[in-house]
Structure formats: C-alpha cells, structure tokens
Amino acid sequence: MSAGGRFTVALIGASGLLGRAVAAELASAPGAEEWRIVRTARSRADAQSVKLDLLDHEAVRAFLRELAPDAIVVAAAERRPDICENDPALARALNVEALSVIASEARSLGAWVLSISTDYVFDGAAPPYLPDDAPAPLNAYGQSKLDGERALLAGDPASCVLRLPLLYGPFTEWNESAVTSLTSAIVKCADPANPPASMDAWATRYPTFTPDVAVVIRGMLEHHAKGATISGITQWSGDEPMTKFDIARRIARVLNVDAKLVAQRTPTDATPRPRDCHLDSGRLEALGIGRRTPFDVAIAGLLARYPDVSSQ
C-alpha cells in the first residue's frame, strides 16, 4: 500500500452523480482513516479534487505515475445516449481510448481498475442478463461502453467492470438523472392550467440509488485491499421494475400532487433504446456485497432534501 500504509484510491470522475456518492461513502465508512481518496474532475474541479481531462492522455499518465494508487475507480464517461449517437468520436475518446490508457498505466503500476459500464451493452430482448451473456448494444452509447469494457480487460485482465442500470441519487441539477429530471413535467402537469404529460410506459427500467452503488464499490475495494481481488465482469441493479410512467406516478405520490400523466406505450426516443436490460447481480450478492434501498424510501428522502420543487 502507498501513502504511509494507507490504501490509495484514484476516483476518476468524482464530481459526477455517482462519483460524489462514492467519495462520500469512502470518506464516511468505518476505517476511512485507512484510506486515501484522491478525487479527479474535469469541468467541476474544486479544492478537494485534482483537475484532470481524460482526453489528455499524457496528463492521465503523469497523474497516475505520480500518485501510484492501489486502485482506480473510473466513474467518468460520456453517458448521454443522444450525444454519443451524434458524436461517436467523442464517445469513443472518453469511453474507450481514455480507458485503454488507464488500463495500460494501471497494469504497469500494479493498480487495480474498477470501471463503470452500463446495461445498455444488451439489446433488452431476453432479460435478465448474466455477466457472460452475449452483448448486443442498440446504440452508439452502448457500443462505446462495450468497446471500453473490452479495451480495459484486454489491457489489464486483472481489472473489473461494474455494469449498472439507470442511476439516481443526490444531485446538483434536477436533470442529472433521468429519474429526477421527470420532476419538472410532473409539477407542471399537476397545474390545472397545463396539459397532461406523456411518459414512457414501454421500456422497463431498474432505477438504482447511487449511495447503494457506492456501498457496492466500497465492498469491492475492500475485497481487493484484503487480497481477494474481483476481476472481469460484474453487475449491480435495483430490483424494482418500472417504466418512466411508473416512476413519475411514484414521484407525484411523494410530492402529493395530482399529476395528469399519459402512458406512452410505444418508443419515441430518436436514439434506439433497449426495452428491458435487467442485470443479474448474483455474482456480487454471492460475495456478500450489496445494498438496496426501496425506491419509495429513497426518492422520498431525496426530494425532501430539495423542498423547492415548485420552482421546477
């Protein structure tokens, strides 16, 4: 272990929705004093983080060589499907090429890499999906993340991929998650002067709370720290199936508003999305890793932290 016997973790993308939850969990967990967490961010770097642009490969190499971490958690990515569809070169640069650089450097340093991937590597036709089921992405985002998985594991076979579905959690902007981004339309359509809001009732999602994922990641890091490294493909998912229409109804119930919601039962997104990519979490569950907060409990606690919903 580096840094005077402490276990050093480079948290890449610490300012994002998931990165912030992981940083908070690692800072507050039992035995946190034995960990050294070095956070990086690009556009939202602050006094607690190192500014790092993953597109600057030499800067990435220099950062990792100077830090010499025991583990690297990669939570940074281009995760917006429409952006990836319209700019596949950018998606590849962030989701594949940068990860390949990190994998190569990590292997030479002897650092373990845990990289976040997505359920969108599957086409959604035959859930639930096991980690070794054949991927078949429907869009550029899913393809770029799949290519990133392969680049990581080819460059560093001891590394690990953690596939996740739709995430939500403590946010800095309502649209940071596709779950909380629904709030604006829910509030507006509850006003009798406004028309109903159409919500997708075609695709089944498994919203997963970022503080729960942070517990999963901490458990995986703890396994590595004690010499029980987890390699290859892993997955974690919430276990409550719901469409965006279902999610919107639950949010409306928490807000105690009479939202006029219309179920849209055919896909309307310009970028193709899978219908049901339920991820099997059995590999991590068998290791005693994991936590699931019921959606209604999590969303109620989350919205209570942001009382000025009417401004949406």
Side-chain angles (χ1 to χ4, degrees), residues 62-243:
F63 165 75
L64 293 174
R65 288 171 188 173
E66 181 179 355
L67 182 63
D70 297 291
I72 304 165
V73 177
V74 185
E78 178 50 71
R79 59 180 179 80
R80 297 165 294 181
D82 292 337
I83 297 294
C84 292
E85 208 71 23
N86 294 325
D87 193 348
L90 174 63
R92 182 168 184 84
L94 279 170
N95 297 348
V96 185
E97 293 163 9
L99 202 53
S100 183
V101 170
I102 291 171
S104 174
E105 208 58 44
R107 189 171 187 177
S108 68
L109 293 169
W112 179 65
V113 181
L114 173 60
S115 179
I116 304 305
S117 190
T118 175
D119 57 346
Y120 273 30
V121 300
F122 296 113
D123 62 11
Y129 290 96
L130 296 167
D132 58 356
D133 283 341
L138 296 180
N139 55 39
Y141 168 61
Q143 186 63 56
S144 72
K145 294 299 286 183
L146 176 60
D147 291 344
E149 291 182 6
R150 290 171 172 168
L152 174 66
L153 295 174
D156 184 9
S159 61
C160 186
V161 167
L162 174 60
R163 291 176 180 153
L164 300 171
L166 172 65
L167 298 179
Y168 72 102
F171 54 87
T172 57
E173 299 174 350
W174 290 89
N175 65 358
E176 203 170 8
S177 161
V179 171
T180 52
S181 68
L182 301 177
T183 307
S184 175
I186 292 166
V187 171
K188 286 178 182 176
C189 76
D191 184 336
N194 292 328
S198 179
M199 294 285 173
D200 177 63
W202 176 79
T204 299
R205 312 298 294 273
Y206 295 81
T208 302
F209 196 39
T210 52
D212 291 346
V213 178
V215 169
V216 170
I217 290 173
R218 175 169 62 85
M220 298 176 76
L221 286 165
E222 289 171 344
H223 267 65
H224 177 67
K226 66 184 182 184
T229 300
I230 303 167
S231 301
I233 305 289
T234 61
Q235 302 179 154
W236 186 258
S237 174
D239 59 0
E240 298 174 79
M242 59 189 85
T243 63

Side-chain angles (χ1 to χ4, degrees), residues 9-33:
V9 179
L11 178 55
I12 310 293
S15 65
L17 182 70
L18 178 58
R20 294 193 308 271
V22 174
E25 175 64 28
L26 296 180
S28 62
E33 67 280 357

